[in-house]
Amino acid sequence: MILNDSLYRSSILSDSELPLLSPLPATLSVAPVELFWGKMHPPLTIYKHPMCAEIIEAFQKCHSDHPVGKFFGECTELKIKLDRCFRQEVSSKVVKRKKNLEKSRKLRETLQAYRKETAEGGN
């Protein structure tokens, strides 16, 4: 239940107690769920996360097998494994980006040298 200002004013609380129950500020950059449980995982699509496919499937199966228990830590171990897998996936993507950047720089240098040779040979 979300309390609003009209409920505050009609309650028996004094003005000094109101800020304690005020809603989250609009400038808050994280969701209230993240404040308590940590960051939420990205959408669990296997085609976007092929490295974590087995863990994603196990996590989704755990959620379907334990519809109530999932709220009480039944699938927490799988969630931790999933978070670790996503972190490894991100770090492997960073390595791939660096390699691709190096390749593109070498290719650019090669193309510039080729253009320079053809420009000098054409004169």
Side-chain angles (χ1 to χ4, degrees), residues 71-87:
F71 297 113
F72 298 103
E74 191 72 33
C75 305
T76 302
E77 290 180 25
L78 287 171
K79 168 79 166 89
I80 292 169
K81 287 180 184 179
L82 191 63
D83 290 340
R84 288 181 183 156
C85 185
F86 286 153
R87 276 189 230 121

Side-chain angles (χ1 to χ4, degrees), residues 17-82:
E17 293 173 318
L18 287 180
L20 297 175
L21 296 176
S22 64
L24 292 172
T27 59
L28 191 63
S29 63
V30 294
V33 172
E34 293 180 26
L35 292 174
F36 184 72
W37 285 298
K39 287 188 92 171
M40 295 175 62
H41 54 75
L44 299 178
T45 51
I46 294 175
Y47 73 92
K48 285 188 175 184
H49 307 285
M51 289 176 55
C52 306
E54 293 175 9
I55 301 172
I56 289 172
E57 289 172 353
F59 186 68
Q60 289 174 337
K61 184 177 183 315
C62 181
H63 272 226
S64 64
D65 291 347
H66 308 284
V68 176
K70 67 183 177 184
F71 297 113
F72 298 103
E74 191 72 33
C75 305
T76 302
E77 290 180 25
L78 287 171
K79 168 79 166 89
I80 292 169
K81 287 180 184 179
L82 191 63

Side-chain angles (χ1 to χ4, degrees), residues 51 85-95 97:
M51 289 176 55
C85 185
F86 286 153
R87 276 189 230 121
Q88 288 176 350
E89 191 177 58
V90 168
S91 65
S92 69
K93 287 180 181 179
V94 169
V95 170
R97 278 189 216 124

